[in-house]
């Protein structure tokens, strides 16, 4: 049982990074292979750790964004959060679909936190999507252990670079679009002056 607590703690620590970092599934795969753990218990422990960390990230990001971003941009993101908060099922569906594809979830939760969307509403969708996507990755652990040289060679591939770039683009969309103008006046406007 202690080893599953280790998986939980490592998944939580890996996801503490507020920028694009290593995925939590990599810790789960490592622990499963190294200690010959039950795959399903590893998944439960790891996904719970990852979910708690993402929830905490969404909670503290508004504090950082209000200190870093200009007041106008911060208010714009809050306005977007209020608008999106009214369509719960759409936000949950988006989060579910987003977590099913192999892209980092840090930019998503950073944007959710900046927009001040109540993260408790999206945690169930995140947990389900994360559990499914991580299950695929952890079950691939046996293959990874048998083909380590191929895996190490593939750590920096077009897929990982594309995933990181996609996450950064999502964050930039949230930051640089003037959401109030777009939603109220139906006009697309970019604003690059977002920092204090």
């Amino acid at each position: 049982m202690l080893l599953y607590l280790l998986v939980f703690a490592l998944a939580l620590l890996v996801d503490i990074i507020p920028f694009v970092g290593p995925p939590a599934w990599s810790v789960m795969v490592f622990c499963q292979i190294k200690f010959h753990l039950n795959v399903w218990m590893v998944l439960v422990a790891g996904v719970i750790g990852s979910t708690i960390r993402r929830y905490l990230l969404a909670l503290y990001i508004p504090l950082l964004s209000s200190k870093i971003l200009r007041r106008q941009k911060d208010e714009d993101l809050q306005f977007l959060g209020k608008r999106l908060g009214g369509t719960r099922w759409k936000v949950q569906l988006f989060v579910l679909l987003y977590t099913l594809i192999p892209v980092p979830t840090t930019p998503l939760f950073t944007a959710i936190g900046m927009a001040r969307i109540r993260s408790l509403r999206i945690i169930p969708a995140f947990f389900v999507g994360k559990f499914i996507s991580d299950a695929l990755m952890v079950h691939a652990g046996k293959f990874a252990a048998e083909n380590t040289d191929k895996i190490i060679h593939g750590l920096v591939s077009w897929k990982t670079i594309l995933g990181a770039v996609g996450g950064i683009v999502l964050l930039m969309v949230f930051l640089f679009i003037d959401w109030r103008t777009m939603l109220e006046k139906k006009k697309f406007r970019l604003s690059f002056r977002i920092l204090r």
Side-chain angles (χ1 to χ4, degrees):
M1 192 52 128
L2 189 60
L3 291 174
Y4 296 110
L5 287 174
L6 175 68
V7 172
F8 168 81
L10 289 174
L12 194 129
L13 288 173
V14 166
D15 277 342
I16 205 166
I17 304 166
F19 306 102
V20 177
W25 63 260
S26 62
V27 170
M28 292 183 246
V29 168
F30 172 78
C31 289
Q32 186 233 347
I33 293 168
K34 176 78 174 162
F35 304 116
H36 307 287
L37 299 174
N38 178 290
V39 175
W40 297 107
M41 293 294 291
V42 166
L43 279 167
V44 169
V47 174
I48 288 173
S50 184
T51 302
I52 289 171
R53 186 60 226 154
R54 289 298 181 232
Y55 173 70
L56 294 174
L57 173 68
L59 288 181
Y60 77 76
I61 283 296
L63 301 173
L64 291 177
S65 68
S66 63
K67 293 185 183 343
I68 295 172
L69 300 176
R70 298 179 88 199
R71 186 174 55 89
Q72 180 183 3
K73 185 65 204 174
D74 195 42
E75 289 172 359
D76 183 46
L77 289 171
Q78 288 181 43
F79 174 77
L80 174 63
K82 287 177 186 170
R83 291 292 291 261
L84 288 174
T87 57
R88 291 182 194 175
W89 71 270
K90 290 179 185 176
V91 174
Q92 289 179 9
L93 180 62
F94 175 76
V95 169
L96 176 67
L97 294 175
Y98 187 90
T99 55
L100 289 174
I101 59 175
V103 293
T105 57
T106 302
L108 173 68
F109 275 84
T110 302
I112 285 170
M114 286 180 171
R116 288 167 179 79
I117 296 171
R118 292 187 61 200
S119 50
L120 273 179
R121 291 182 180 168
I122 53 116
I123 289 298
F126 173 78
F127 184 85
V128 170
K130 183 83 170 144
F131 192 87
I132 293 168
S133 62
D134 283 357
L136 295 173
M137 299 309 293
V138 172
H139 280 303
K142 187 175 187 302
F143 174 80
E146 294 169 356
N147 299 290
T148 352
D149 56 332
K150 293 178 185 175
I151 300 295
I152 290 172
H153 178 70
L155 281 178
V156 181
S157 68
W158 67 271
K159 292 177 184 176
T160 57
I161 293 170
L162 187 63
V165 169
I168 292 168
V169 167
L170 175 70
L171 187 57
M172 291 172 67
V173 164
F174 272 95
L175 289 175
F176 296 131
I177 291 176
D178 184 344
W179 290 101
R180 186 178 295 261
T181 302
M182 188 164 150
L183 293 171
E184 287 181 339
K185 299 177 183 175
K186 309 291 187 227
K187 291 183 181 178
F188 180 77
R189 194 176 120 203
L190 294 173
S191 175
F192 296 103
R193 296 188 58 196
I194 60 169
L195 298 177
R196 286 185 182 253

